[in-house]
Amino acid sequence: MTGPLTGLHVVEIATQIAGPYAAKLFVDLGAEVTKIEPPAGDPLRRWGPFPAPDPDPACGGLFDYLNAGKRGATLDPGQPKDVAAARELIAGAHLLVENFAPGTLVGWGLGTDALQQLNPKLVVLHISHCGQSGPMRDRPMTPLTMQAASGWISGRDPDRPPVQVGARISEYVAGAYGALGALTALRMQSVGRVREVDVSQVEALLSTLPYPMLMAQRMKRLGLPANMRSAPMLGVVRATDGWVGINCLTGQHWLDVCAMLGLPEYGEQQLAVMLGGPERDEFFAKAEPILAGQTVAEIVELSQALRIPAAPVNDGATVLDCPQYAERGFFVESGSHRRPGPPFRFSKTPVPQPRPAPRLGATLAPWSSGGQALAPAVGELPFAGLRVLDLTTFWAGAYLTCYLGAFGADIVKVESIQRPDGHRYSGAFAYEGDDYYERSPIWQGTNLNKRDLTLDLTSQPGLAIARRLAAQADVVVENFSPRVVENFGLDYDALTALSPDVIVVRMPGYGLQGPWRDYVGWALNFEQTAGMSAVTGYPDGPPCNPQGPADPIVGVHAGVALLAALEHRSRTGVGQLIEVAQIEVAAGVTAEPVIEYSMNGVVSARQGNRQRGYLQGVYPTAADGAWVAVSLPDDGAVDHDAFDELVAAWTRTQRPADIVESLRAQGIAAEQVITGEQMYDPEFIGAQLDARGFYEEFEHPITGPHRYPGWPFRITPGPRRHHRSAPPTLGQHNAEILRELGLSDDDVAALRAQRVIGERVLNA
């Protein structure tokens, strides 16, 4: 079978991770991608890992992973004949992917005007540090300083510097958003001119955080510290044979953990333990020896039996032995190593095993198949006319439907007054009143652009209405544990009986099959299982959780898969099931540790704030609690420990702004590590975000006006706004949606009286 994007022609002129990862996703979906490299090749070829004792310096393991299945062409941008050859290839392409500094393509004779003459229907995907516009456009940056500027670097130990997320994970994020933005642009009606998708890597990282700017604003209004943070409970703890993550999401989880450990007396002290009071030290002094006497598998098995979200903290070695990945066959053989497979699965257009990565020195070849552009949407917005039934909860699935709604889709989000979306309680406090579940900034940020309907799906009338909505839907999205929608009779087979061409996106944490199919978990579990946590933290310390980016990253990948499936349906009339297992997406952007171990038997050590190729770190300043990230190229001639001591001795005597200004004047990448309350501030990232229209203000009926973050790219020409409507209140659109189904006012009133629908949480 052919892939959903068969016939799409993509030219990639990109290096390292972000651009090549976007193009890799297109390969996974069946597109034909030609990678153009200079004579020296993509520098990632020389990164490794390499097999011992016979390394191939022209194709390291990470390069192979990101570039498998692409065609290659080695061209010199300084040679007119090579530029002419590239132009000829681009003339027959639908999409061009590049991730150089703004203006680079102009110097190669491939600026927008030149491309317009060459191919006016072309979509160009630009991925750059801060985007193609704004006051930070040309600022020197590295992956470390981009993490600092976006808030990805966060405190792990009060006595040590905040620490980055490891394994170059941050560099994949912009690539995934780039693929989503490019597919969105390709759906838009042709306007006879080149369409550009401008992705900012800093904005992409900011977009994966749990709305810290909204939370900081909310805390201030409540008279609380703006950046008050609590530790996840229990977090990462030591077992007999490794590390395990126990991640209490609710008060019930905490009570169950205390009972499991034989410490019920701490059941009423959750908040004090989370906030680091003396109770925390006392609790862990008793809990740690109990856990240290059990294996990782024993702790996970018992926790899951009690429905407590727990997972192994896998590294590059143990992730390969994880029974869920093993039974699902996720990691695939590739020559001398194993690597992650595709991050999505299709029922009708399975992803093929790609060919090897292109060799350096390859000769340019013409396109091997007739090209086929994506079918445009029916209106001005790329998802106009698309009807989506949103059965999601928490973040990953809701993030996808928020995006679809932003660009034209009609999203009907289903909750119930008996069990509303659990994300409503994130950052909401019961003492604020009966409507406190309407006040969560985290829920609000993920649920703009939707209509909200409450239905008791345990009732016959509620389920009947859900089935009527499903029969009208083009797309159904859900991210519960598999058994939830199956128990309601809303699984794929049941939905196709209602609408044969429906596309169903299922986003289970661990997948629809496998021994862990019914395990409970959320973002931290998936990051721990996939290896993200194991590569994050201090070299001499425990693994550390990232700040939960797995959820939106999964949502973005699901969006990429869905847009490909919509294209396939537009050509064939056939819908299908898309499965996006969250642990597989997380492992796909944490590829290097697996490749390294499978190739050489080496478990990647945590690097703290270091990265090969740079002299860098996060250093104290004269301002209390303020840190700066500094990063410059390393030729290996400087002792890094001595460099850290020298830099820290200087920075701790200087104000953060003076440090950053002084180093930037010398062309050295430096950024202050920002927190949530600084994300609107023009002295930090705020001026850049405002210049690019990243925030948009909407009035929430209960909590008032808020500036909500948008998407980390701009499409030109394209929609001028990121969002269309404010987040809804519970059941806000009950009457409107039910009347559209033909119900009368009396019918609606009867459903409300029976508590099938409602506008307030039952017993709130």
Side-chain angles (χ1 to χ4, degrees):
M1 293 185 182
T2 57
L5 294 185
T6 295
L8 185 72
H9 292 168
V10 181
V11 175
E12 175 200 316
I13 311 178
T15 67
Q16 298 291 349
I17 292 177
Y21 186 67
K24 173 210 177 301
L25 294 176
F26 294 127
V27 172
D28 288 341
L29 296 166
E32 188 171 8
V33 177
T34 299
K35 182 182 180 73
I36 295 178
E37 298 180 79
D42 183 341
L44 196 67
R45 286 182 177 273
R46 299 178 290 279
W47 174 265
F50 298 112
D54 299 313
D56 177 3
C59 188
L62 190 55
F63 178 89
D64 176 70
Y65 168 62
L66 291 168
N67 295 284
K70 299 175 184 177
R71 309 185 319 160
T74 302
L75 301 175
D76 186 345
Q79 296 295 322
K81 65 178 181 60
D82 283 1
V83 173
R87 288 170 59 86
E88 182 178 353
L89 189 71
I90 293 169
H94 304 105
L95 173 64
L96 172 63
V97 178
E98 69 92 11
N99 66 342
F100 292 95
T104 299
L105 291 190
V106 175
W108 294 347
L110 295 172
T112 302
D113 291 341
L115 293 172
Q116 174 69 30
Q117 294 296 318
L118 193 63
N119 184 349
K121 295 183 178 180
L122 185 70
V123 170
V124 182
L125 170 59
H126 304 284
I127 302 176
S128 59
H129 294 161
C130 289
Q132 304 290 308
S133 62
M136 291 174 60
R137 176 189 121 136
D138 297 315
R139 181 176 293 184
M141 281 194 154
T142 70
L144 179 73
T145 62
M146 283 188 280
Q147 286 201 38
S150 65
W152 256 48
I153 293 177
S154 61
R156 315 288 180 173
D157 182 328
D159 299 321
R160 305 182 74 168
V163 70
Q164 67 177 340
V165 178
R168 304 186 66 172
I169 293 167
S170 67
E171 298 176 56
Y172 292 81
V173 176
Y177 277 107
L180 181 64
L183 286 177
T184 301
L186 285 163
R187 281 183 57 87
M188 298 170 69
Q189 298 279 354
S190 174
V191 292
R193 58 170 288 193
V194 167
R195 200 181 302 273
E196 298 180 88
V197 181
D198 173 12
V199 178
S200 160
Q201 293 189 60
V202 169
E203 290 174 16
L205 296 180
L206 186 62
S207 296
T208 66
L209 296 176
Y211 308 98
M213 72 295 291
L214 294 171
M215 278 298 298
Q217 199 174 56
R218 174 164 166 72
M219 291 299 185
K220 283 183 177 179
R221 290 173 178 171
L222 293 173
L224 298 170
N227 297 301
M228 184 176 72
R229 293 189 63 191
S230 59
M233 297 304 300
L234 303 176
V236 175
V237 291
R238 175 73 84 171
T240 300
D241 57 345
W243 299 94
V244 64
I246 301 176
N247 309 293
C248 297
L249 188 59
T250 67
Q252 187 61 52
H253 289 152
W254 174 252
L255 292 173
D256 292 340
V257 164
C258 291
M260 179 179 75
L261 296 174
L263 300 172
E265 64 272 23
Y266 290 92
E268 301 302 319
Q269 299 185 40
Q270 181 182 16
L271 187 60
V273 175
M274 289 176 67
L275 294 179
E279 297 89 348
R280 179 181 179 86
D281 291 338
E282 183 181 291
F283 171 80
F284 274 93
K286 296 179 180 179
E288 286 175 341
I290 298 170
L291 294 164
Q294 303 174 61
T295 67
V296 170
E298 288 169 343
I299 295 170
V300 170
E301 183 177 1
L302 178 57
S303 298
Q304 289 288 344
L306 296 171
R307 309 302 289 167
I308 297 167
V313 180
N314 285 319
D315 57 29
T318 59
V319 72
L320 290 169
D321 296 326
C322 176
Q324 187 66 6
Y325 287 120
E327 183 157 320
R328 290 173 58 82
F330 175 67
F331 293 105
V332 299
E333 297 291 338
S334 180
S336 62
H337 61 275
R338 299 176 70 190
R339 58 174 176 78
F344 26 61
R345 304 181 186 211
F346 297 83
S347 63
K348 302 291 177 62
T349 54
V351 177
Q353 183 78 7
R355 304 179 308 276
R359 60 180 177 82
L360 187 60
T363 303
L364 183 64
W367 297 110
S368 62
S369 63
Q372 181 167 329
L374 271 64
V378 296
E380 290 186 7
L381 292 175
F383 308 131
L386 195 69
R387 295 164 299 182
V388 179
L389 180 58
D390 179 347
L391 302 177
T392 67
T393 186
F394 285 92
W395 198 2
Y399 193 74
L400 166 59
T401 53
C402 180
Y403 179 78
L404 298 173
F407 294 116
D410 177 22
I411 313 294
V412 174
K413 180 177 179 67
V414 175
E415 305 181 74
S416 73
I417 60 173
Q418 291 81 10
R419 290 193 66 179
D421 184 343
H423 217 200
R424 285 185 175 273
Y425 300 100
S426 299
F429 305 100
Y431 67 80
E432 294 182 88
D434 289 346
D435 63 356
Y436 78 100
Y437 53 85
E438 300 284 12
R439 300 176 178 274
S440 165
I442 300 176
W443 190 90
Q444 289 182 19
T446 312
N447 286 279
L448 296 103
N449 318 309
K450 303 178 185 181
R451 298 194 292 166
D452 197 279
L453 171 69
T454 53
L455 288 176
D456 179 6
L457 297 182
T458 66
S459 72
Q460 190 279 328
L463 189 56
I465 292 170
R467 290 172 62 83
R468 290 181 62 184
L469 290 167
Q472 298 179 358
D474 297 295
V475 177
V476 178
V477 183
E478 70 88 15
N479 66 320
F480 285 91
S481 297
R483 59 189 176 85
V484 175
V485 294
E486 292 165 8
N487 289 344
F488 285 133
L490 295 173
D491 58 316
Y492 179 64
D493 289 342
L495 292 169
T496 55
L498 299 169
S499 177
D501 65 347
V502 70
I503 296 174
V504 178
V505 183
R506 301 193 64 182
M507 304 164 64
Y510 293 97
L512 297 178
Q513 294 85 31
W516 292 7
R517 173 186 189 270
D518 294 321
Y519 273 18
V520 294
W522 55 297
L524 297 186
N525 296 93
F526 310 141
E527 292 164 7
Q528 291 156 358
T529 302
M532 286 185 173
S533 301
V535 294
T536 301
Y538 310 104
D540 58 348
C544 292
N545 296 317
Q547 298 179 66
D551 268 309
I553 293 172
V554 169
V556 171
H557 282 78
V560 170
L562 172 59
L563 296 195
L566 286 168
E567 168 60 17
H568 176 260
R569 188 175 67 179
S570 72
R571 295 200 312 255
T572 66
V574 176
Q576 59 183 314
L577 170 65
I578 302 170
E579 179 189 359
V580 185
Q582 298 187 43
I583 61 165
E584 293 180 351
V585 173
V589 299
T590 318
E592 189 175 350
V594 171
I595 296 170
E596 173 81 17
Y597 180 80
S598 66
M599 188 178 284
N600 294 316
V602 174
V603 174
S604 303
R606 285 179 285 283
Q607 298 294 312
N609 286 314
R610 295 185 181 182
Q611 180 175 313
R612 177 157 43 100
Y614 295 98
L615 287 167
Q616 64 179 32
V618 175
Y619 304 102
T621 71
D624 185 39
W627 301 82
V628 293
V630 177
S631 180
L632 63 160
D634 176 23
D635 61 6
V638 177
D639 179 276
H640 207 311
D641 290 339
F643 173 83
D644 286 341
E645 291 179 11
L646 183 66
V647 173
W650 174 65
T651 60
R652 65 168 47 99
T653 67
Q654 307 290 316
R655 295 189 311 139
D658 294 338
I659 296 168
V660 170
E661 182 179 354
S662 173
L663 293 176
R664 284 186 198 149
Q666 302 173 64
I668 297 173
E671 298 289 340
Q672 183 168 341
V673 176
I674 69 167
T675 59
E677 66 178 332
Q678 296 163 334
M679 290 175 180
Y680 290 125
D681 194 327
E683 292 186 14
F684 298 96
I685 192 72
Q688 174 69 12
L689 299 178
D690 289 344
R692 289 173 55 80
F694 182 70
Y695 294 118
E696 288 189 352
E697 184 167 304
F698 287 89
E699 181 91 14
H700 186 270
I702 292 175
T703 59
H706 301 285
R707 297 179 67 207
Y708 295 99
W711 312 104
F713 51 77
R714 304 298 275 177
I715 300 174
T716 307
R720 298 182 60 84
R721 303 193 63 183
H722 285 292
H723 297 294
R724 292 193 301 149
S725 61
T729 55
L730 186 69
Q732 179 178 335
H733 302 94
N734 283 343
E736 175 184 310
I737 295 169
L738 294 174
R739 286 180 187 131
E740 290 173 0
L741 289 176
L743 277 70
S744 67
D745 289 348
D746 288 344
D747 294 331
V748 173
L751 290 171
R752 187 174 288 113
Q754 297 165 26
R755 295 180 175 175
V756 174
I757 66 170
E759 290 74 36
R760 298 187 65 82
V761 171
L762 194 62
N763 299 323

